[in-house]
Amino acid sequence: MRVVLAEDAVLLRAGVQRLLADEQIETVAAVDNGDDLIEAVQQHRPELAIVDVRMPPTFTDEGLRAALRAREVLPGLPVLVLSQYVEESYAVELLSAGAGGVGYLLKERVADVTDFLDAVRRVAGGGTAIDPDVIAQLMARGRKNPLDALTGRETEVLRLMAQGLSNTAIANTLVVSHGAVEKHIGNIFAKLNLESSLEEHRRVRAVLTYLNRS
């Protein structure tokens, strides 16, 4: 796997590079600003971009804006965003911008090497990896919930889907059979009126509905 990394904190950038290298994941470019990220994506056409939300010069949303531009330069580019805090508007904008291959993790999660590397592989493979704290804050916005038709267990399954867990991992987490998970997911698709399509596409659409309800 070939990765472009955009992170202005020198120690974190070096640490992430080392973690990736230990897993034979090549960092083809490591930059500290959004403009260089775009240039690196154009030059190297990576399989994944790992991007900090806040970068120079204003340390507001440069990283996110650059990530969105990078997906225009290289359509379908998987993007894993790292953020110091849960920033709702940024998370929703990124997650709503594409059908898959997106992740949003708090930087503290990088310390959990196994989970971080799992998220890297999941996003690079076209899936999603959303930090549980991000999910919790988005769900606490107090807006009308369009998911009221789901049962408690279906909502729990969808929450785990939003974290990027596979059906097998969901079954293990909930201590239920694989078939039960498939049935719950089928019910979720039906209740959210997600018509037959590619399974992964419907899965992503269900997760986006869960995270970006209005």
Side-chain angles (χ1 to χ4, degrees):
M1 185 194 310
R2 301 167 67 252
V3 173
V4 165
L5 172 63
E7 167 59 61
D8 66 289
V10 176
L11 290 180
L12 181 57
R13 187 168 68 239
V16 170
Q17 285 184 262
R18 178 60 183 271
L19 289 178
L20 297 177
D22 287 346
E23 295 296 314
Q24 287 73 55
I25 298 173
E26 180 185 5
T27 301
V28 294
V31 301
D32 63 1
N33 65 81
D35 290 341
D36 286 351
L37 169 65
I38 302 303
E39 183 177 338
V41 168
Q42 291 175 321
Q43 178 181 351
H44 297 286
R45 305 187 72 79
E47 297 164 88
L48 174 69
I50 301 176
V51 185
D52 182 16
V53 168
R54 298 186 175 188
M55 290 195 296
T58 68
F59 295 95
T60 55
D61 62 353
E62 285 86 358
L64 177 74
R65 301 301 169 194
L68 294 172
R69 292 202 307 274
R71 294 194 105 182
E72 295 175 356
V73 170
L74 186 58
L77 171 67
V79 174
L80 175 59
V81 166
L82 302 179
S83 180
Q84 189 70 38
Y85 310 101
V86 178
E87 308 192 54
E88 295 180 21
S89 61
Y90 301 158
V92 169
E93 184 169 358
L94 176 67
L95 294 168
S96 300
V102 293
Y104 191 113
L105 295 182
L106 296 182
K107 287 185 176 180
E108 64 190 48
R109 305 296 180 191
V110 178
D112 190 327
V113 176
T114 299
D115 285 353
F116 173 68
L117 293 173
D118 179 62
V120 166
R121 294 190 181 93
R122 207 155 59 223
V123 173
T128 58
I130 313 301
D131 194 291
D133 286 349
V134 174
I135 294 173
Q137 186 153 323
L138 291 177
M139 291 298 290
R141 287 183 297 178
R143 301 178 182 176
K144 183 179 178 182
N145 189 348
L147 307 174
D148 287 340
L150 301 185
T151 66
R153 179 47 63 94
E154 288 163 358
T155 300
E156 194 172 12
V157 169
L158 185 51
R159 176 178 61 80
L160 295 173
M161 288 168 59
Q163 293 181 32
L165 271 65
S166 66
N167 288 7
T168 299
I170 292 173
N172 292 339
T173 299
L174 299 179
V175 195
V176 298
S177 69
H178 192 276
V181 171
E182 291 183 339
K183 181 178 179 180
H184 288 314
I185 292 176
N187 290 340
I188 290 168
F189 291 159
K191 291 179 180 180
L192 296 183
N193 296 316
L194 298 177
E195 299 178 357
S196 296
S197 177
L198 291 176
E199 181 73 12
E200 186 62 27
H201 182 54
R202 286 203 297 175
R203 195 179 186 96
V204 171
R205 288 170 61 199
V207 167
L208 291 176
T209 298
Y210 176 79
L211 295 174
N212 191 28
R213 63 201 198 287
S214 57

